[in-house]
Amino acid sequence: MNLLPAPEQLEIVSAAGEFLAERMPVEHIRATRHEEAPVSEALWREAGELGLLTLGLDEEAGGSGRPIDDEALVFMELGKRLAPGPFLAGTLAARVAARCGDAALAELIGAGRTRVALAVLRGDGGAQPVTGTFDLFEPAGAALALVVARSGAALVDIDSFGPLTAVEAADPGSRIASATVDSAEPLYWLPAEDEWIWGRATVLAAAYLTGLAAAAAHAATKHAKTREQFGKPIGVHQAVKHTCVDMEIAAEAAQAQTLFAAIALADGRADAPLQVLSAAAVAGSAAVDNAAAGIHLFGGMGYTFENDMHLYLKRAHVFRHLFGEPTDVLAELLAQDRAQ
């Protein structure tokens, strides 16, 4: 199986990368770190108009009708660029709305005119009706919240969550709030039997983590080539070279596994759960480990305000915990038949 991107896919990724580099550079995270939202309403609409939220939607719902592996490649680019904003929630919410028959709402979400927060359940609770304590990611300006559970996905009026309590995030590019819901009826509910949104969400989160891993490896390798000590680049030392190679291999493995998981999910393969869980485990480890190793290679500079490496690590921790704790994901992966 050829897992290398096709020329048409590379064009899509290139267009997304150019937009992100011009309109959402990493410096934007530092400049907006004290603002209510990391992405303004106007900028979010620009992202929607470019089609970044509707790549995998059918054309009837305002999308481009592209396969999930195209979406995964774009999310890898989002990770490489440290793109802030509710890309994951918006992409998935538009799909839920479309699959539930509300094409008008899907178009509004996809165009960036209706924001959606991602509601992640902490501890016990349910998605239908919505109950429990949630962390809401990017709640600023959101009209809806997307709850993703193993049993299905729900779109909920964000007012149903009541007063939100702001939570200070370690990642300056993320906004988090918490809320406890006694019982709220979702506006729309898409059961996993109709479409496994949890699996799709996990693959796209893994793709974002893969992008973080690749960016950290690239930055560390570039630094090793140019940073000199005692008149020589630090990359001449075996310990540094081996670390850079290990980082690159980890990023490559994460990309291959994530793309294969996307294909397995799209084809409805029997081993799709195993491949999805593998993607989450491999990409999560690659992102966190590469960023940590990158900080080590940068030395004291890796922690400074101006350096990007610590931002990769902070964002990696955010995405790694979205749809399951790493230990739980690994335990479930090891329990799969083909993992025995």
Side-chain angles (χ1 to χ4, degrees):
M1 179 179 291
N2 183 8
L3 294 177
L4 294 177
E8 186 177 5
Q9 292 176 315
L10 292 176
E11 290 180 8
I12 295 172
V13 172
S14 177
E18 290 175 3
F19 170 80
L20 295 170
E22 180 181 348
R23 302 294 291 127
M24 294 185 182
V26 177
E27 292 76 16
H28 183 83
I29 296 175
R30 299 181 179 89
T32 61
R33 67 190 186 281
H34 297 308
E35 295 184 12
E36 184 180 11
V39 179
S40 68
E41 182 177 339
L43 185 53
W44 187 243
R45 289 190 178 185
E46 286 186 50
E49 290 169 1
L50 186 62
L52 293 180
L53 305 178
T54 55
L55 198 62
L57 276 187
D58 293 335
E59 294 182 4
E60 294 79 7
S64 302
R66 303 295 300 181
I68 187 175
D69 45 311
D70 284 24
E71 283 188 307
L73 288 168
V74 169
F75 268 83
M76 288 179 191
E77 190 67 17
L78 292 171
K80 289 178 183 178
R81 305 283 180 173
L82 272 170
F87 283 99
L88 189 57
T91 298
L92 296 169
R95 189 170 191 85
V96 171
R99 294 283 280 114
C100 290
D102 196 335
L105 178 59
E107 289 190 31
L108 285 173
I109 296 171
R113 295 197 296 272
T114 297
R115 286 209 194 196
V116 182
L118 180 64
V120 177
L121 178 64
R122 288 194 279 123
D124 296 329
Q128 191 190 21
V130 175
T131 60
T133 299
F134 294 84
D135 287 325
L136 284 88
F137 290 83
E138 310 304 339
L144 302 170
L146 173 71
V147 180
V148 179
R150 291 300 188 93
S151 57
L155 276 176
V156 187
D157 188 328
I158 201 167
D159 290 339
S160 301
F161 286 82
L164 304 182
T165 302
V167 177
E168 185 176 356
D171 172 25
S174 298
R175 305 293 184 270
I176 305 175
S178 67
T180 299
V181 183
D182 294 329
S183 180
E185 289 298 325
L187 301 174
Y188 292 109
W189 168 253
L190 182 63
E193 293 76 15
D194 292 345
E195 183 166 356
W196 194 31
I197 294 296
W198 186 91
R200 194 178 194 93
T202 301
V203 167
L204 295 182
Y208 195 102
L209 287 162
T210 297
L212 294 173
H218 174 76
T221 302
K222 182 179 178 180
H223 179 71
K225 291 178 178 179
T226 57
R227 174 67 172 175
E228 292 189 359
Q229 287 184 343
F230 307 109
K232 294 181 180 180
I234 62 173
V236 302
H237 302 292
Q238 282 193 353
V240 175
K241 285 190 286 188
H242 289 178
T243 298
C244 290
V245 170
D246 289 343
M247 293 170 71
E248 186 62 35
I249 291 173
E252 289 285 343
Q255 176 170 319
Q257 180 58 49
T258 299
L259 290 177
F260 189 75
I263 294 169
L265 184 66
D267 291 347
R269 290 170 51 115
D271 66 341
L274 180 142
Q275 303 302 340
V276 169
L277 291 166
S278 296
V282 173
S285 294
V288 171
D289 293 348
N290 278 11
I295 290 176
H296 181 73
L297 286 180
F298 270 90
M301 291 186 294
Y303 293 94
T304 61
F305 180 77
E306 296 80 7
N307 195 281
D308 295 341
M309 193 60 72
H310 65 98
L311 298 178
Y312 294 124
L313 182 60
K314 292 170 181 174
R315 189 69 57 82
H317 279 297
V318 169
F319 269 75
R320 196 183 190 190
H321 294 265
L322 287 179
F323 302 109
E325 291 302 308
T327 52
D328 295 336
V329 169
L330 183 59
E332 186 176 357
L333 171 61
L334 294 175
Q336 298 292 310
D337 290 340
R338 288 183 59 185
Q340 300 297 330

